[in-house]
Amino acid sequence: MRRSEDISNVHLGFQLAPMIDVVFVMMLFFMVMAGAVRSEREIRMAMPGIKTDNSLGTNVPPYDITIALTEDGTVTMNEEEFDAPADKRLPRLTTDLIKLKNDADAHGSKIFVIIQTENQVRYDRIMDVLNALAKAQITNFTFTIGEEET
């Protein structure tokens, strides 16, 4: 029994070697992860707003257009219905977008388009609208999904 009494009465004290091992592992982890952290970069972009034409001294507002797509394929631009739901080429919409683009370019303005879709709009109908925007050379657009909140 002497042997078990010796083991139970032995106090090893604070073990420094395992603590140093833990500190080194943590330090190694943070050194490795520091290389993976991406630094924040500045993105240069112009925010939409009113453009001023210094030569004329007048404000030229941007054209804001909302194109809405419903689940049945109906396409509206600023609440005016365009083309048949089955028409993939969207000729009236494309013609009007081209006219708007030419008018905006003539006045030194930009066109901003919001494509608003219902939840279950078919992907090919969205592509039809994007093709119409591409034919009109309009590149400033964004998407919203669901009904407009009032």
Side-chain angles (χ1 to χ4, degrees):
M1 290 241 157
R2 174 91 176 137
R3 180 109 174 120
S4 64
E5 287 176 10
D6 289 339
I7 293 175
S8 64
N9 290 333
V10 175
H11 179 58
L12 298 176
F14 182 73
Q15 296 295 314
L16 192 59
M19 292 302 292
I20 292 173
D21 290 343
V22 169
V23 169
F24 281 133
V25 169
M26 287 176 51
M27 188 172 68
L28 180 65
F29 172 77
F30 286 116
M31 287 173 42
V32 169
M33 292 308 295
V37 173
R38 294 184 183 180
S39 62
E40 187 175 324
R41 293 188 181 105
E42 180 180 349
I43 299 174
R44 297 192 185 273
M45 64 187 328
M47 297 301 290
I50 296 177
K51 177 183 176 183
T52 57
D53 187 0
N54 292 336
S55 62
L56 298 175
T58 58
N59 291 334
V60 181
Y63 290 81
D64 291 327
I65 299 170
T66 301
I67 298 176
L69 298 161
T70 60
E71 292 176 3
D72 65 354
T74 303
V75 177
T76 61
M77 181 170 71
N78 293 341
E79 299 180 3
E80 181 182 344
E81 191 171 324
F82 281 84
D83 302 310
D87 193 355
K88 295 192 72 56
R89 294 183 310 116
L90 299 172
R92 258 189 74 213
L93 178 68
T94 304
T95 303
D96 281 10
L97 287 172
I98 291 171
K99 287 179 185 176
L100 284 170
K101 174 68 171 164
N102 291 338
D103 189 44
D105 289 344
H107 289 94
S109 184
K110 292 190 180 259
I111 295 179
F112 300 107
V113 177
I114 299 171
I115 301 172
Q116 182 180 12
T117 66
E118 291 181 353
N119 290 332
Q120 299 297 319
V121 172
R122 292 177 46 94
Y123 176 73
D124 60 339
R125 195 57 172 170
I126 295 171
M127 290 306 300
D128 296 340
V129 172
L130 291 177
N131 288 335
L133 289 170
K135 288 177 186 173
Q137 297 179 350
I138 297 174
T139 57
N140 297 321
F141 60 88
T142 188
F143 287 93
T144 61
I145 298 173
E147 295 182 10
E148 185 176 324
E149 295 181 15
T150 56

